[in-house]
Amino acid sequence: MRVAVDVMGGDHGPGVVIGGLQMALRSGFRPERVYLVGRRQEIEQKLREHDVESGALEIVHASEVLTMEDRPVQALRRKPDCSILRAMELVAEGRADAVISMGNTGGIFAAATLKLGRLPGVDRGAIAAVIPTPERAFVLVDAGANIECKPLHLVQYAVMGSVYAREVLRASSPRVGLMNVGREDGKGNELTQEAFRLLRRTSLNFVGNVEGHDLFEDRVDVVVCDGFVGNVILKTCESLALAMFGMLKRELSRNLRRRLGAILAGNAFRTLRRRLDPEAYGGAPLLGFRGTVMKVHGSARERAWCSALLITAQTLQHHVRDQIAQQIAEANAVLENRSAASASTLP
Amino acid sequence: MRVAVDVMGGDHGPGVVIGGLQMALRSGFRPERVYLVGRRQEIEQKLREHDVESGALEIVHASEVLTMEDRPVQALRRKPDCSILRAMELVAEGRADAVISMGNTGGIFAAATLKLGRLPGVDRGAIAAVIPTPERAFVLVDAGANIECKPLHLVQYAVMGSVYAREVLRASSPRVGLMNVGREDGKGNELTQEAFRLLRRTSLNFVGNVEGHDLFEDRVDVVVCDGFVGNVILKTCESLALAMFGMLKRELSRNLRRRLGAILAGNAFRTLRRRLDPEAYGGAPLLGFRGTVMKVHGSARERAWCSALLITAQTLQHHVRDQIAQQIAEANAVLENRSAASASTLP
């Protein structure tokens, strides 16, 4: 496998990417090639600092960076030599199979749309967030790429999320839930009511409507919703979990007795943190494009980068992209009475 | 103040209502009258069991109960003698000022619409959820009453939520945030973009768009959104908080060392639970009706009922209903160039 790594952007700079790469190489990550895309001098310096040695590494210079403040589409036009575009081009040219980046999510999405394009039959690319729960994790699609959606888009998110949950999270027959305001059939707005009818016609393991109460009770492996709702869920969960951990930490350090208790029970807190750590799941895959794309959190450090590299490798080894193309064609055929064959030809 | 308490419904039956009432009476709750609406025999038995003595109590018999499974509007037609309708009638007839119920939320909302009607100028009644955070609580409107909304509805939720936050949560100049997918102006779908423009024209302390990351960081006192998004936020937060508490408990009891640590640090967990306990805020007020209505969680026990009674008393003492009527009239006047005077006359 050949991976294009956009080393620019993020809160901690290229150092964490190189550090994470080193960690991944030591954990069995065996790429044919890793393109390190970004400012050559910075990359060379970090490689020297981390003393990384691998014949697979190749630096691809890009003079510009898409910052978090940039308006993605306009910024990409203004910065043709930015690292995320250069990384996407490596995939578009057939030199790499996947792109990993911790840059501006909107920018990665726009660059993928521009340089890779969508898989045949996919109406909208989507961002999938993997959200940990006490038992396992679920895939939330769409997590914010498409603010306004049609029912068919939600069905396609369900198909793509199912492939990812099965191949990467190892849910054998992923349970797909439609995010709604209650479990009963017929709940919701026009979008979810029609999506419900369509989802029932697919061959997915559709378990029906789910509501917020179901998310952390191991009832579902894939949650589909429009990007507005998905973005609200993702950020609300991140915020509440952080607030609870922060508050627990403050309360536990308030006096000697509590501090002693916290030391004795320390492993319990570490287990909790580890189990609910989204970084363990690598990052947020962009689904539906003609290449594998992984978005890493801007605050990611070495460990998160290591896990993103390993998860990306797994995504490639399990042919997630091709399986999505095939299953989207099948779902479209069922829903539109189109011939599956005519839509399943990959470029 | 005169309060109509629907003692039926909920997970634990009339006993918790009577127990909570007793607790409230001992904590300074001084009503002129409390109507206990429901099955007379059950109520009399619970009053005897709890040995409640108060000249203010009066039983109003209602032979039927709206269950959680009922489809609210149809069920209300089928059950004219159900407790929630009888309770609303007491307010409609001017015999009571407020209704408190732990019944089916949709049923309470439908009964309020049917028997009380909306305040002049209010296009949609709303359910406000009070969501605790480490620092304080915020009011989320609408939490699920209206799945599809227009921009003006969101403005009215903002007005109503602000009055509640100021008078009941004591936020002196409530910061109103519009729930969105990012903080920047211009973010979001058609609904939020237009609501943003309208909110800026009001005299509210509108702080702009907020996203999930802002909810638990003390940036906002009132969060407005359509009922679909609000319902998802409310239930997702409840579910995640419960999951984290549950997981912490399991991890802390896994071995002797951890159990000892948990005992030493016990107060820290209790503080956390207490600060994040939605029951401390009484319940979810239904806003915009010609009477004060409070929904208590179906799983509520005595303490939650006690706090719901005290919060309802505060809602009445602070004239929340009349202030909403007045400020809705003002906001409508600003937005529609209508005269505020013509819309502000209460029936």
Side-chain angles (χ1 to χ4, degrees), chain A residues 15-79:
Chain A
V16 292
V17 186
I18 306 300
L21 174 60
Q22 190 173 31
M23 227 186 244
L25 290 167
R26 286 175 185 161
S27 313
F29 180 52
R30 293 281 169 273
E32 280 167 58
R33 188 149 300 277
V34 175
Y35 298 98
L36 299 171
V37 189
R39 295 206 185 98
R40 182 179 297 277
Q41 282 197 325
E42 285 182 46
I43 299 170
E44 282 173 346
Q45 190 195 328
K46 293 297 172 192
L47 284 173
R48 276 194 304 275
E49 281 174 18
H50 283 82
D51 197 20
V52 183
E53 274 297 329
S54 164
L57 304 188
E58 181 177 334
I59 298 175
V60 174
H61 180 68
S63 62
E64 293 171 304
V65 184
L66 201 67
T67 60
M68 294 309 280
E69 293 72 34
D70 285 328
R71 296 185 75 123
V73 178
Q74 292 89 324
L76 289 176
R77 257 189 238 123
R78 250 191 359 257
K79 296 179 171 177

Side-chain angles (χ1 to χ4, degrees), chain A residues 181 211 213 235 238 257, chain B residues 181 211 213 235 238 264:
Chain A
V181 295
E211 54 175 15
H213 289 152
K235 290 177 177 168
E238 285 179 352
R257 184 188 154 114
Chain B
V181 295
E211 53 176 15
H213 289 152
K235 291 177 177 168
E238 285 180 350
L264 288 172

Side-chain angles (χ1 to χ4, degrees), chain A residues 196-272:
Chain A
F196 186 95
R197 283 187 284 271
L198 294 179
L199 281 163
R200 271 218 294 225
R201 292 169 53 199
T202 66
S203 58
L204 295 165
N205 180 12
F206 177 51
V207 298
N209 290 321
V210 293
E211 54 175 15
H213 289 152
D214 299 316
L215 297 184
F216 296 93
E217 303 200 339
D218 195 20
R219 294 200 181 136
V220 72
D221 302 298
V222 181
V223 173
V224 295
C225 55
D226 67 59
F228 191 102
V229 169
N231 191 266
V232 167
I233 293 175
L234 172 63
K235 290 177 177 168
T236 299
C237 291
E238 285 179 352
S239 176
L240 177 55
L242 274 180
M244 285 181 70
F245 280 125
M247 204 178 148
L248 188 58
K249 202 171 166 185
R250 279 195 304 281
E251 287 302 325
L252 285 172
S253 59
R254 216 173 268 285
N255 60 44
L256 195 64
R257 184 188 154 114
R258 289 186 186 180
R259 278 199 294 273
L260 180 61
I263 290 167
L264 288 172
N267 286 331
F269 307 123
R270 275 187 287 277
T271 304
L272 191 67

Side-chain angles (χ1 to χ4, degrees), chain B residues 88 97-100 108 112 116 284-287 289 291-295:
Chain B
M88 291 290 174
D97 307 301
V99 170
I100 315 182
I108 302 173
L116 305 181
L286 273 59
L287 302 177
F289 292 101
T292 296
V293 185
M294 184 69 74
K295 150 76 185 170

Side-chain angles (χ1 to χ4, degrees), chain A residues 165-182:
Chain A
R166 191 181 63 225
E167 301 301 329
V168 180
L169 303 183
R170 293 168 202 183
S172 59
S173 173
R175 297 159 295 176
V176 176
L178 175 64
M179 196 69 211
N180 215 322
V181 295

Side-chain angles (χ1 to χ4, degrees), chain B residues 2-8 14 16-18 21 29 31 33-38 43 57-60 83-84 86-88 90-91 96 98-102 294 296 305 308-309 312:
Chain B
R2 301 153 312 160
V3 180
V5 177
D6 172 10
V7 302
M8 310 307 287
V16 292
V17 186
I18 306 300
L21 174 61
F29 179 53
R33 188 150 300 276
V34 175
Y35 297 98
L36 299 170
V37 188
I43 300 170
L57 304 188
E58 180 176 337
I59 298 175
V60 174
S83 56
I84 184 64
R86 291 288 176 235
M88 291 290 174
L90 290 168
V91 176
V99 170
I100 315 182
S101 172
M102 60 182 165
M294 184 69 74
V296 177
W305 264 98
L309 289 159
T312 303

